[in-house]
Amino acid sequence: MNQPWFTIRWHEGAVELLDQRLLPSQEVYLHLTCVEDLSVAIETLAVRGAPAIGCAAALGVALGAEESQANHLEGVLGDLREVFIPRIERTRPTAVNLFWALRRMEKVIDGLAARPDASVQTLRQGLVAEAERIVREDVEICRTMGRHGASLVGEDARILTHCNAGGLATAGYGTALGVIRAAVEAGRRVSVIADETRPLLQGARLTAWELSKDGIEVTVCTDSMSGHLMRLGEIDLVVVGADRVAANGDVANKIGTYGVAVLAHAHNIPFYVAAPLSTIDLAIPNGDSIPIEQRGRDEIARLGSSLLVPDGVDVRQPAFDVTPAHLVSALVTERGVVSSPTSESIKKLFSST
Ligand code: MRU
């Protein structure tokens, strides 16, 4: 499937990205020329989804090297290490791909700075090359993951997904939606139920937008309907993405995922998680230690200019929840499908070639 749109790219010294806040009503690309604007784009969800946030962070480092006003290498390195990377690091705490991409870019910075021919120009070129490599690799990884996961999808499968784990949440193709796309490419007929995903409606706005563009049958339901549909026997499997997978297989993903997993378990419906190795955080022992982003009150209390919650009444606003590993039927990665993931099987993924 060749998408006639892109999520994020490097273009003529700037970062360009599809502004996801405006979808599906408007398709507008932002042209960002400074790290502050890129960081605000991540914070306000113009670009979102764990792998896409990682790509944005990597491109942001390349952008920082362009933006720096320093006219000598030490100055640019100082701006990157002390100003730009810490700024990007503060944007969103849960998706580990952000930190994974920044650490990878830092390694490249260290390597480039130590070269005998090191200069501002070689640094800038090297960082753009590495960031573009991360973007390209992300698409390839999603395609590979999709091929592995497609084996879990039967003919005429009716698939529930939550949030958007598609091309928009990655550099293209998608994690959970990559599994669905690969099944379709393998010739299977499928239909998708997209949970609307309160409060920011990534399922209704984004999953429905990109699947319908691809001609994949998609129906939107509100988050509270999935139990009803499962009880009616209308869901064959669930596939979602992840923002961070802990070493023991616990999965942080968009708020509401845990409820879907519990319901799937109660109805004996397989619950699959598709995530690249860059989303697995071996340094975090279990889901309790995953930092959960708390977002602003207005995302829940207001809809545009309308008030949904009376002033003075508290709201809770965690953006993610944690699904314990025992509810995950299989983890789909670029290294293959791991059934009933455990610390051991996850660790093995990193040692296989
Ligand atoms: O707040 P968001 O929109 O960045 O949350 C995104 C999700 O929770 C996705 O399901 C997750 O990042 C998987 S992306 C392939």
Side-chain angles (χ1 to χ4, degrees), residues 198 297 300-303 306-315:
R198 274 283 290 157
R297 170 190 171 85
I300 289 169
R302 291 187 164 272
L303 188 61
S306 306
L307 205 57
L308 298 181
V309 178
D311 284 336
V313 173
D314 281 345
V315 299

Side-chain angles (χ1 to χ4, degrees), residues 28 30 46 54 71 87 92 109 145 167 169 206 243 247 259 262 268 286 312:
V28 174
L30 299 179
N71 51 13
R87 173 66 184 100
R92 297 195 73 191
I109 292 172
M145 210 163 23
L206 308 178
D243 285 81
V262 171
N268 213 12
N286 57 55

